[in-house]
Amino acid sequence: MVACAAREIGDGDVVFVGMRLPLLAFALAVSTHAPRAVGVFENGVMRDTPPRGPVVTMSDPPNLDGALWAGALSRAMALLAGGHVDLGFIGGAQIDRHANLNTTRIGPADAPRVRLPGSGGGCDIACAARRLLVVMPHEPRRFVERGRPPDQPRLRRRPRLARAGRAARLRVGHADHHQGGAARHRGHRRLRAGVGPPRRAGRRRGRRHPWGWPAGEPRAAPVTKAPDREVLEALRALDPERVWTGDG
Amino acid sequence: MPDKVLTMREAVARHVPDGARVACGLALEAAIPFAFAHELIRQRRRDLHLVGPIADAVFDQLVGAGCVAVIEAAWVGNVTTGTGYCFRRAVEQGRPRPLTVRQHSNLTISLALQAAAWGVGYLPTRTALGSDIAGDHDGFKLVACPFSGQPLLAVRALRPDVAVVHVQRADRRGNAQACGNLGISPEAVGAAATVIVVAEELVDTGTVRARPELTLLPGALVTAVVHEPGGTHPAPLQQFRAHDAAAYRDYASASATEEGFQAWLERWVLGVDDRAAYLARLGDGRRA
């Protein structure tokens, strides 16, 4: 999943890197195919090399050592708001088929069943990055037909924002979804090697589809290329204790 | 010039009353003033209104200890592990007491403080437009740009009673120098009525004068200085201390239940007199 997400970072991209898994995917990208990519972090850091040691948060000293810039959040956010960021890269708790992201709560506002930690900078990144990449584990509870409430930017409304990009992409454990500007809903673009297309049986009433909603044209979905050995080795070096990649 | 150095106990007792609006944990995951928060818990402060961006686990601890009535922040949890269990119990079950949450994004909380620092009632932005955060509370209002008519989100000014920053060094007059990522520290110290500087090192004014570009806030605007080495543990402090992920994981495991949180609180906060005792309990290997 991290290797697939890292591939989305182009060499030379200015990437706004969110908490947790995006930290590792950015480090992997600059270690392998995108050595000229630049990462901006909401705590106020900008760097163009992998952190000098394993990190759990973007404020860990190895992410500041050798950085190009360390200062205020407002200056990093100004790059984003000013339209200078090519790719925004975030995690998320829950997403629906229209790409509404939910990071705030599950259940009603006055009596939530689960209170999630909240947006952090995710909402800011989703609003202003020209392209948006969301990476999250592939669990049915995270993929819902319609999220209530959609606390995060509704991506189908992104064209209403002046600088918003036209495409958003979602990387998950087993599949790669895509929402183009004109698409009515997302379908699978690719499946990870070894994962079969969703079965029709999954659409039966009363049975929960593993993707949370029926996928379009599953048989046409090509298989994502497995990461090369050197990419996997780079990933292991960045996460030696398997903090982020413990599930393989 | 007045000497502003106090102990943490004195600073909290004199400058942070019950019900105060307190901004802390302003550099996101780094330089979190845990020593300050633990003193708030020991002095049993109540009805606090916390302001911050992603203040790592410090808000979760204050909520679990029953100190907090309102949180105005972008994210509340434990960055190393994710969930803030005390925060969840407070919102979902009202335990140990009900909690009001005013949801922000990182940029909107920055703008709210910046508006107060600049003495204006609000600042406009395009962030959060089209999201439900924009309708979460009365700190946001949809407005039109007076020049272009473009829709904008007005973020209401937010003035903390107290802002607390842990910096690398300060002199006895409060001239405070910080390095590393600052998060929303500059706007928060500019907005607050009272600023408490917690310093890793106490230096002479000549050291400050040698590098004035590192000064986060001049002493004229600082109310109190607390010399508290190790005050950010388990949060990192650039040039001094790494992130202690094991401590955050231990806290997550303990705080998953109310009983576990109380045992953690007894061991690491209520059962120690001050930060020096906390660090002694922690042992030499974990301090840096």
Side-chain angles (χ1 to χ4, degrees):
Chain A
M1 176 168 67
V2 173
C4 290
R7 281 183 202 153
E8 296 293 329
I9 297 174
D11 198 10
D13 275 354
V14 177
V15 186
F16 207 101
V17 186
M19 298 165 74
R20 302 169 74 85
L21 279 177
L23 295 175
L24 183 60
F26 171 75
L28 180 62
V30 288
S31 301
T32 56
H33 71 278
R36 292 179 298 168
V38 179
V40 185
F41 303 78
E42 62 196 356
N43 60 353
V45 168
M46 180 187 269
R47 68 181 302 122
D48 62 351
T49 55
R52 294 182 172 175
V55 297
V56 178
T57 85
M58 62 180 69
S59 304
D60 291 3
N63 200 45
L64 275 80
D65 296 341
L68 299 172
W69 194 27
L73 174 142
S74 60
R75 294 178 69 195
M77 287 289 178
L79 294 180
L80 191 60
H84 303 292
V85 172
D86 299 306
L87 176 66
F89 196 171
I90 59 176
Q94 196 177 57
I95 195 163
D96 75 9
R97 69 185 296 185
H98 302 287
N100 294 308
L101 273 165
N102 177 17
T103 58
T104 304
R105 68 180 80 83
I106 296 168
D110 54 351
R113 188 162 55 79
V114 178
R115 185 47 161 97
L116 301 163
S119 161
C123 180
D124 308 311
I125 298 169
C127 281
R130 288 206 289 273
R131 280 196 305 140
L132 179 67
L133 182 64
V134 183
V135 59
M136 58 171 70
H138 193 174
E139 300 166 358
R141 63 181 178 156
R142 294 176 180 272
F143 294 83
V144 294
E145 175 72 22
R146 182 169 287 280
R148 287 290 181 211
D151 303 274
Q152 293 280 299
R154 283 154 274 200
L155 299 190
R156 57 188 163 157
R157 292 190 181 176
R158 281 166 58 85
R160 289 168 56 180
L161 303 175
R163 285 200 181 88
R166 295 196 57 196
R169 185 168 287 189
L170 170 68
R171 277 285 179 196
V172 296
H174 296 141
D176 172 9
H177 301 264
H178 183 260
Q179 183 196 31
R184 293 185 58 159
H185 64 82
R186 284 169 300 153
H188 306 302
R189 290 183 77 245
R190 294 195 199 92
L191 300 174
R192 195 165 90 178
V195 177
R199 289 174 299 170
R200 284 193 168 275
R203 298 187 191 184
R204 277 184 202 151
R205 194 173 173 190
R207 179 160 175 181
R208 198 166 188 191
H209 193 284
W211 270 267
W213 61 81
E217 302 177 22
R219 284 174 190 163
V223 173
T224 300
K225 184 168 162 285
D228 295 332
R229 188 174 165 182
E230 58 262 36
V231 171
L232 282 177
E233 283 173 0
L235 193 53
R236 300 290 177 245
L238 292 164
D239 186 25
E241 291 180 26
R242 309 288 291 268
V243 171
W244 303 113
T245 55
D247 62 352
Chain B
M1 286 286 277
D3 184 325
K4 297 179 179 178
V5 175
L6 299 176
T7 65
M8 188 65 85
R9 191 175 297 146
E10 291 167 338
V12 167
R14 287 189 201 173
H15 299 299
V16 192
D18 284 350
R21 186 183 283 171
V22 179
C24 67
L26 302 162
L28 283 69
E29 300 93 349
I32 308 269
F34 277 102
F36 165 74
H38 291 184
E39 188 57 34
L40 288 177
I41 294 170
R42 277 191 290 271
Q43 294 194 21
R44 304 198 182 280
R45 284 293 170 280
R46 291 292 179 266
D47 303 322
L48 297 176
H49 179 149
L50 297 180
V51 175
I54 293 172
D56 214 325
V58 76
F59 284 7
D60 194 67
Q61 293 175 4
L62 287 164
V63 167
C67 302
V68 187
V70 181
I71 286 187
E72 197 144 358
W75 195 94
V76 183
N78 177 337
V79 177
T80 304
T81 58
T83 298
Y85 293 104
C86 295
F87 177 61
R88 278 195 61 183
R89 278 191 292 273
V91 176
E92 296 165 18
Q93 303 167 34
R95 298 174 66 92
R97 55 163 295 172
L99 177 68
T100 299
V101 183
R102 293 165 65 88
Q103 182 71 48
H104 275 265
S105 75
N106 277 336
L107 181 51
T108 65
I109 196 77
S110 164
L111 291 167
L113 293 165
Q114 190 70 74
W118 284 348
V120 295
Y122 73 94
L123 281 173
T125 178
R126 293 188 302 121
T127 206
L129 284 172
S131 85
D132 286 358
I133 289 176
D136 189 73
H137 53 80
D138 65 4
F140 300 120
K141 201 164 190 175
L142 194 64
V143 297
C145 170
F147 302 104
S148 68
Q150 179 191 24
L152 293 169
L153 188 67
V155 181
R156 183 187 292 225
L158 179 60
R159 185 170 170 79
D161 298 313
V162 186
V164 182
V165 283
H166 190 112
V167 300
Q168 277 80 2
R169 64 193 188 194
D171 67 10
R172 303 185 74 88
R173 294 145 60 175
N175 293 299
Q177 298 197 320
C179 65
N181 58 283
L182 302 175
I184 64 169
S185 307
E187 50 271 49
V189 297
T194 295
V195 177
I196 298 174
V197 165
V198 186
E200 191 74 17
E201 290 184 335
L202 206 55
V203 297
D204 59 31
T205 305
T207 305
V208 174
R209 292 189 203 283
R211 295 291 305 278
E213 72 279 7
L214 293 178
T215 301
L216 175 69
L217 195 67
L221 304 175
V222 170
T223 306
V225 178
V226 178
H227 181 213
E228 194 78 287
T232 73
H233 181 273
L237 184 68
Q238 191 66 13
Q239 300 182 350
F240 285 91
R241 187 170 309 108
H243 173 260
D244 187 349
Y248 281 108
R249 289 194 193 101
D250 290 348
Y251 173 71
S253 305
S255 61
T257 63
E258 278 185 298
E259 299 73 27
F261 174 75
Q262 285 305 325
W264 179 91
L265 202 60
E266 195 54 50
R267 176 164 173 72
W268 292 108
V269 182
L270 301 175
V272 294
D273 284 341
D274 54 21
R275 196 62 175 182
Y278 170 100
L279 293 173
R281 181 162 285 188
L282 193 64
D284 292 335
R286 294 275 292 280
R287 290 182 204 176

